[in-house]
């Protein structure tokens, strides 16, 4: 039963409860996109391939990019007006420099398995370190965000008048002649020094009085940590704002599922989920109420998307360990797992709900299974 619509109070949060037309149809839309099979933007040996609402219409809450940068190349100085950037390094080494609005600059070097987080609007650059190319996955907390519609320094300064730039930077117009007139996107130069050169100046103004807390780091070595949880059938690594405080709007997981293992039926009350298959072959299910249920197979390099609150599962249907990267658009991890939900109810309630003897439910898991091995969870 629904009552009359409430009067507009100036609170716009109700808009989040309006049905998304894409999700209101008789059938669920596809939630899969073959990201690494797409072409994207290619320059020399470097590329960026993106999954936004353009490529994957269901993915309104999160976008992602698969990027490769060749030795000596750099993703130029830029910022994102409408999204924070979360990254997971797949291979090679990456150096970043990022500036916060207080003028603090941080330069970090990243290896495979490391994560970075740049808050919305904070300017940064990414460059390949060493003689091998680097590859990484970027996840953004806005599905309408496009990596190719970002705010690049060359695009901006190339369109400002030479007189304005000369006045801004205090050098003659002639000194700036020849800078790019349009967006470079990738810039190509020498392989960077192994030890990062200092920035020109740390321009953060000293705060009067008490010493301010040090700025939060943008780097988290996720896969250098022991797993957050280990299961018979798989492992989970987790990074959210509780262990990586700057990551206020994003959470990341890496799951390893042994062949046949299942990340059990569950949903996330607080976030959409963006999934990238690092390695392997999985079957993902999506439940959208009103009898709507959809299954997709995802292989290495494919992306999946689960809207906030929708039921889903991931099963390894391949013959080797599946590795899965997951990003959420919330800074705290939150989930309800089926086994936990059932265990949190009295046996007579479950007996009535399912029309089965109460004894059956005493044989179900009394804990959060999270990952079940191929043969299913042991009774306890
Ligand atoms: Mn960026
Ligand atoms: Mn999930």
């Amino acid at each position: 039963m629904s009552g009359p619509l409430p009067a507009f109070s100036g609170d716009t949060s109700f808009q989040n409860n309006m049905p998304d037309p894409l999700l209101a149809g008789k059938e669920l839309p596809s939630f899969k996109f073959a990201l690494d099979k797409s072409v994207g933007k290619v320059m020399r040996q470097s590329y960026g391939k993106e999954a936004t609402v353009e490529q994957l219409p269901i993915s309104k809450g999160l976008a992602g990019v698969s990027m490769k940068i060749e030795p000596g190349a750099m993703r130029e100085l830029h910022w994102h007006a409408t999204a924070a950037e979360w990254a997971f390094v797949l291979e090679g080494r990456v150096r970043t420099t990022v500036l916060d609005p207080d003028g603090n600059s941080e330069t970090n070097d990243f290896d495979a398995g490391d994560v970075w987080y740049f808050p919305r609007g904070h300017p940064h650059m990414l460059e390949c370190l060493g003689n091998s190319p680097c590859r990484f996955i970027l996840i953004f907390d806005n599905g309408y965000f496009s990596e190719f519609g970002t705010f690049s320094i060359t695009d901006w300064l190339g369109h400002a008048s030479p007189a304005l730039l000369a006045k801004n930077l205090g050098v003659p117009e002639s000194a700036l002649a020849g800078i790019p007139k349009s967006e470079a996107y990738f810039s190509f130069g020498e392989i960077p020094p192994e030890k990062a050169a200092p920035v020109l100046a740390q321009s953060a103004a000293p705060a009067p009085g008490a010493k301010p807390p040090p700025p939060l780091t943008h780097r988290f070595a996720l896969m250098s940590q022991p797993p957050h949880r280990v299961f018979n059938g798989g492992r989970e690594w987790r990074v959210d704002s509780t262990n990586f405080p700057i990551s206020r709007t994003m959470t990341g997981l890496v799951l390893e599922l042994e062949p046949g293992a299942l990340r059990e039926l569950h949903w996330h009350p607080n976030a959409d989920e963006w999934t990238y298959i690092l390695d392997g072959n999985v079957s993902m299910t999506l439940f959208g109420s009103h009898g709507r249920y959809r299954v997709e197979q995802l292989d290495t390099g494919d992306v999946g998307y689960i809207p906030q609150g929708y039921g889903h599962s991931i099963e390894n249907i391949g013959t080797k360990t599946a590795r899965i990267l997951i990003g959420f658009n919330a800074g705290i991890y939150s989930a309800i797992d089926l086994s936990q939900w059932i265990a949190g109810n009295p046996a007579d309630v479950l007996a009535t709900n399912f029309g089965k003897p109460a004894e059956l439910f005493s044989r179900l898991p009394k804990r959060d299974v999270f990952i079940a091995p191929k043969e299913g969870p042991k009774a306890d």
Side-chain angles (χ1 to χ4, degrees), residues 6 55 72 140 175 207 275 322:
Q55 293 79 16
F140 300 91
T275 302

Side-chain angles (χ1 to χ4, degrees), residues 108-377:
N108 288 120
D109 292 352
F110 297 80
D111 293 301
D114 292 349
V115 163
W116 69 73
Y117 176 87
F118 301 146
R120 181 176 294 207
H122 292 202
H124 52 273
M125 72 86 196
L126 322 169
E127 62 185 350
C128 180
L129 282 186
N131 294 308
S132 308
C134 60
R135 285 179 58 228
F136 46 89
I137 296 296
L138 304 172
I139 308 180
F140 300 91
D141 57 359
N142 178 356
Y144 291 86
F145 163 84
S146 171
E147 170 70 2
F148 311 144
T150 200
F151 292 70
S152 295
I153 197 166
T154 52
D155 191 12
W156 195 14
L157 303 194
H159 287 86
S161 76
L164 183 74
L165 287 184
K167 181 182 286 185
N168 196 140
L169 298 173
V171 292
E173 286 182 31
S174 59
L176 298 168
I179 65 167
K181 282 287 166 203
S182 60
E183 185 185 36
Y185 193 80
F186 289 122
S187 301
F188 300 91
E190 301 296 319
I191 291 175
E194 269 303 309
K195 183 174 166 14
V199 297
L200 296 175
Q202 282 288 0
S203 61
K211 198 164 172 276
L216 298 171
T217 184
H218 300 82
R219 176 177 176 272
F220 186 83
L222 178 60
M223 300 309 286
S224 307
Q225 324 276 323
H228 177 249
R229 289 193 286 176
V230 176
F231 305 87
N232 181 16
R235 286 153 293 280
E236 179 214 15
W237 286 259
R238 183 187 298 179
V239 53
D240 68 8
S241 61
T242 62
N243 53 356
F244 185 33
I246 201 169
S247 188
R248 290 193 189 97
T249 67
M250 299 279 287
T251 292
L253 301 188
V254 171
L255 298 183
E256 282 184 2
L257 298 178
E258 302 298 338
L262 172 70
R263 170 68 183 101
E264 69 166 312
L265 296 168
H266 67 283
W267 72 93
H268 303 285
N270 67 334
D272 304 303
E273 169 173 335
W274 194 92
T275 302
Y276 175 85
I277 309 304
L278 295 165
D279 195 24
N281 316 93
V282 304
S283 173
M284 283 185 80
T285 70
L286 177 65
F287 168 60
S289 78
H290 294 286
R292 299 176 308 163
Y293 189 84
R294 189 172 178 118
V295 183
E296 309 252 25
Q297 182 178 331
L298 275 68
D299 303 316
T300 305
D302 290 350
V303 165
Y305 185 86
I306 309 293
Q308 179 175 333
Y310 278 49
H312 57 288
S313 65
I314 310 175
E315 182 183 12
N316 182 358
I317 55 171
T319 53
K320 58 183 176 182
T321 299
R323 299 182 70 240
I324 301 149
L325 177 70
I326 300 177
F328 302 94
N329 51 2
I332 299 285
Y333 180 82
S334 170
I336 308 283
D337 289 359
L338 175 67
S339 56
Q340 200 176 34
W341 185 22
I342 288 178
N345 280 280
D348 65 298
V349 167
L350 297 164
T352 300
N353 200 149
F354 289 100
K356 297 287 283 182
E359 180 275 331
L360 166 67
F361 301 98
S362 67
R363 286 189 273 133
L364 303 192
K366 308 293 187 303
R367 60 192 154 80
D368 178 23
V369 168
F370 195 81
I371 291 174
K374 182 178 185 176
E375 64 277 13

